[in-house]
């Protein structure tokens, strides 16, 4: 496993080695090319890029490893690659979250992309293409299908007020509004 100079210093400090011993060990490792922060940064950038992290998340992860600022200042921002990664992630996110509904998918998708390190402009550009990734069913159709499936799988009696309230809370947590949930449950009855 590779380590940064900073990580090695931290590990040795935790083991209560003296500052002079730590400096000697780090110097030895650098002289013998066993620790190379630039090589490690390049490796991590490749790994994080493969995981489709955005530029901001890559920068954050690298700085949390304790690399010197001058090494991180050489990072190159590639807007085309950022768009490509964000679109890929959002496409996967949409596929996994179709039951959220169009509006909620947009909101949660924005948060998902931001948490993966993409700039606001990249997130908004990607979300503007949501129609390419999401079937334009309206929220009512999505909710009706989800409720029907849930009622069948869990053998729910929609005439039971307690079960009815549980379902309402469940789908409100998924972003559907109360009126729409009640309306769909009445249609199922």
């Amino acid at each position: 496993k590779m380590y940064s100079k900073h990580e090695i210093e931290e590990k040795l400090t935790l083991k209560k080695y003296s500052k002079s011993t730590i400096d000697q060990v780090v110097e030895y490792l650098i002289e013998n090319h066993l620790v190379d922060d630039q090589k490690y940064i390049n490796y991590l950038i490749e790994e994080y890029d493969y995981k489709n992290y955005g530029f901001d998340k890559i920068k954050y992860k690298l700085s949390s490893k304790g690399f010197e600022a001058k090494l991180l200042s050489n990072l190159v921002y590639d807007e085309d690659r950022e768009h490509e990664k964000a679109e890929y992630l959002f496409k996967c996110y949409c596929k996994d979250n179709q039951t959220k509904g169009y509006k909620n998918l947009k909101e949660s998708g924005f948060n998902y992309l931001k948490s993966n390190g993409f700039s606001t402009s990249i997130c908004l550009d990607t979300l503007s293409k949501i129609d390419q990734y999401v079937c334009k069913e309206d929220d009512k159709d999505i909710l009706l299908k989800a409720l029907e499936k849930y009622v069948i799988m869990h053998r729910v009696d929609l005439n039971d007020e307690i079960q009815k309230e549980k379902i309402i809370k469940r789908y409100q947590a998924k972003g559907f509004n109360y009126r729409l949930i009640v309306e769909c449950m009445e249609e199922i009855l």
Side-chain angles (χ1 to χ4, degrees):
K1 181 177 179 206
M2 295 174 88
Y3 292 100
S4 69
K5 175 183 158 190
H6 178 75
E7 288 173 320
I8 291 172
E9 288 170 345
E10 277 186 343
K11 285 182 178 290
L12 294 174
T13 302
L14 284 174
K15 294 188 181 222
K16 307 220 186 284
Y17 285 100
S18 70
K19 178 75 173 129
S20 62
T21 303
I22 293 171
D23 291 341
Q24 288 174 346
V25 169
V26 169
E27 187 179 323
Y28 172 82
L29 293 172
I30 291 171
E31 285 174 3
N32 290 293
H33 307 288
L34 298 170
V35 170
D36 184 345
D37 280 358
Q38 190 59 57
K39 189 175 178 181
Y40 190 30
I41 286 173
N42 294 340
Y43 167 79
L44 289 173
I45 288 172
E46 205 171 291
E47 182 180 320
Y48 297 151
D49 190 59
Y50 177 76
K51 291 179 179 180
N52 290 308
Y53 290 164
F55 184 76
D56 294 342
K57 188 168 186 174
I58 291 173
K59 242 172 44 179
Y60 170 77
K61 285 199 156 282
L62 291 174
S63 65
S64 70
K65 295 261 185 206
F67 293 112
E68 295 175 11
K70 68 179 179 181
L71 290 174
L72 297 180
S73 66
N74 296 332
L75 293 179
V76 178
Y77 179 79
D78 181 352
E79 190 168 351
D80 292 337
R81 179 69 181 132
E82 287 291 287
H83 277 287
E84 190 180 302
K85 291 188 291 187
E87 287 178 20
Y88 173 78
L89 279 180
F90 188 62
K91 185 178 180 181
C92 293
Y93 183 78
C94 287
K95 191 184 285 186
D96 294 341
N97 293 281
Q98 284 284 342
T99 60
K100 284 193 175 198
Y102 188 82
K103 180 183 173 205
N104 296 318
L105 193 58
K106 259 187 141 169
E107 291 171 10
S108 63
F110 179 84
N111 293 333
Y112 177 72
L113 291 174
K114 278 301 274 181
S115 71
N116 275 288
F118 294 98
S119 68
T120 301
S121 64
I122 297 286
C123 293
L124 293 174
D125 286 349
T126 303
L127 290 172
S128 71
K129 300 171 187 170
I130 190 172
D131 297 336
Q132 295 174 13
Y133 312 117
V134 178
C135 174
K136 271 210 144 176
E137 279 183 299
D138 68 355
D139 285 353
K140 185 174 181 179
D141 292 338
I142 292 170
L143 181 58
L144 265 172
K145 285 180 186 176
L147 277 172
E148 287 170 350
K149 184 177 175 182
Y150 185 82
V151 166
I152 291 168
M153 284 179 59
H154 299 284
R155 298 178 184 173
V156 174
D157 178 12
L158 291 178
N159 293 317
D160 180 348
E161 288 301 316
I162 294 171
Q163 288 184 343
K164 207 173 185 177
E165 284 302 312
K166 280 174 83 174
I167 290 173
I168 290 171
K169 286 180 182 173
R170 174 186 176 86
Y171 286 96
Q172 279 181 318
K174 291 186 175 205
F176 295 99
N177 72 40
Y178 179 85
R179 185 193 51 75
L180 183 62
I181 297 167
V182 171
E183 186 181 316
C184 288
M185 287 195 307
E186 287 172 1
E187 276 189 41
I188 292 173
L189 285 173

